[in-house]
Amino acid sequence: MERTAVAFAPGHISGYFRRIDGDTPRTTGSCGAGLVIDHGVTATVRPAEQTSVVITDHLLTGDPLIRYGSGLIEELLGSFGVSAAVETVADLPIGAGFGMSAAAILATLTAANAVFDLGLAECDIAERAHALEVSCNTGLGDVAAAAGGGLAVRTAPGITGVAARMFPEIDLCTVTFGAMFTPDIIGSPDRMRRVSAAFPDRLPENFAEFMENSRQFAEASGLIPQKIRPVLAACDDAGVPASMTMLGCGVFAAGDDAPEILAGFGRAVPLKICPHGPKILEM
Ligand SMILES: Nc1ncnc2c1ncn2[C@@H]1O[C@H](COP(=O)(O)OP(=O)(O)O)[C@@H](O)[C@H]1O
Ligand SMILES: CC(C)(COP(=O)(O)O)[C@@H](O)C(=O)O
């Protein structure tokens, strides 16, 4: 019987980042910090004559939307000389700053590694996923963060750049109004100059400092869309720590009061910090 593997990889909400360009994808990426979340991508991989990809995305309403084809996944499998029928299910909207592209690559490669006996160690999977994400400009630091769990602080580009992972027991919540096209933003030298200048000076030592850094960065970076201003203002009025989901048109917030405030603006999705990176669910 032909083998099928199912793997999950967590998403990642970037709080702040700075693009770093190296000579190779391995040394290109970002520094920054973000939250690895318990919502991500589940990938099912079954060997097939030809590669096909069926993506289940989730709309802002939470309703599923099926899409066909993914250049990212096709390139990934092609680079290993294998072909498969792949199904990916993204728990949150794609393109809205939840690191769904990184999660899709990590989950698919984790499952493909099992099905095709590729012999990759966890760090090899992360390395290949990072190289693909960076070369396609769909993200810079999401793979490095999502390769493990927690609040990930990255002080150098690439998968070896994670300096600390913290695991605070915090209730998180997010509301999103939709996508921001990541390649246009991280591919713009002007935008990246302002982002670099906004990068915080201090490394966060705890969750509260991470939230402060994130918000200060968001304000100084010039990236905040008008649409999320009222949400941030309502959080500020209620003393709820909140910032922008980089790079998407949405807000993430922390604590008991966050769900009620965010629900006033759209579908509030409760989240937890994910304690682990990619893993096989079924084989
Ligand atoms: N679940 C998925 N399955 C397959 N491809 C995906 C998935 N999620 C994202 N992608 C690919 O990544 C691109 C979007 O990347 P990006 O804007 O960085 O999204 P995000 O902000 O969610 O990481 C999509 O155009 C698609 O090609
Ligand atoms: C912020 C971003 C550059 C993109 O994140 P996303 O839109 O979720 O792909 C991220 O990869 C980072 O380096 O912190």
Side-chain angles (χ1 to χ4, degrees):
M1 206 179 75
E2 223 159 43
R3 289 203 290 173
T4 298
V6 184
F8 169 82
H12 174 245
I13 298 177
S14 188
Y16 58 95
F17 69 100
R18 172 168 63 197
R19 183 179 179 115
I20 305 217
D21 285 295
D23 295 335
T24 64
R26 186 189 288 230
T27 54
T28 297
S30 64
C31 296
L35 303 165
V36 182
I37 51 175
D38 62 353
H39 287 47
V41 172
T42 302
T44 304
V45 175
R46 180 171 47 82
E49 290 275 304
Q50 272 194 337
T51 291
S52 62
V53 187
V54 180
I55 302 172
T56 304
D57 193 352
H58 277 92
L59 302 175
L60 302 183
T61 53
D63 294 325
L65 174 75
I66 309 288
R67 301 171 195 270
Y68 296 92
S70 162
L72 214 51
I73 301 299
E74 283 150 27
E75 193 173 328
L76 175 71
L77 295 184
S79 71
F80 287 96
V82 299
S83 51
V86 179
E87 287 172 30
T88 63
V89 178
D91 296 331
L92 292 167
I94 291 174
F98 298 114
M100 291 295 112
S101 51
I105 304 169
L106 282 169
T108 303
L109 189 51
T110 300
N113 185 40
V115 159
F116 293 107
D117 293 322
L118 298 178
L120 302 171
E122 279 176 18
C123 60
D124 302 326
I125 292 174
E127 180 91 52
R128 294 293 290 252
H130 174 76
L132 182 63
E133 171 100 325
V134 164
S135 64
C136 295
N137 246 356
T138 50
L140 296 170
D142 293 321
V143 168
L151 187 185
V153 182
R154 295 171 288 105
T155 53
I159 62 154
T160 55
V162 179
R165 291 189 192 270
M166 297 172 226
F167 298 89
E169 288 281 329
I170 304 274
D171 287 322
L172 301 165
C173 192
T174 189
V175 68
T176 184
F177 304 112
M180 283 172 78
F181 193 55
T182 302
D184 276 358
I185 298 173
I186 64 179
S188 154
D190 279 351
R191 293 269 203 158
M192 289 302 100
R193 260 192 295 279
R194 185 148 177 208
V195 160
S196 275
F199 195 78
D201 295 332
R202 71 166 176 185
L203 283 175
E205 287 189 5
N206 52 46
F207 182 78
E209 288 182 6
F210 162 73
M211 291 303 292
E212 283 163 23
N213 275 3
S214 297
R215 182 61 181 278
Q216 279 163 19
F217 168 83
E219 295 292 343
S221 68
L223 292 170
I224 297 184
Q226 275 311 314
K227 182 97 182 154
I228 70 167
R229 278 283 168 210
V231 191
L232 292 174
C235 290
D236 293 347
D237 288 347
V240 166
S243 193
M244 171 183 162
T245 54
M246 299 285 162
L247 280 163
C249 188
V251 169
F252 67 103
D256 294 345
D257 296 333
E260 199 183 323
I261 294 168
L262 297 197
F265 297 92
R267 192 171 71 97
V269 181
L271 303 170
K272 289 270 189 204
I273 290 177
C274 185
H276 57 75
K279 64 177 190 186
I280 292 283
L281 300 181
E282 267 173 56
M283 190 49 210

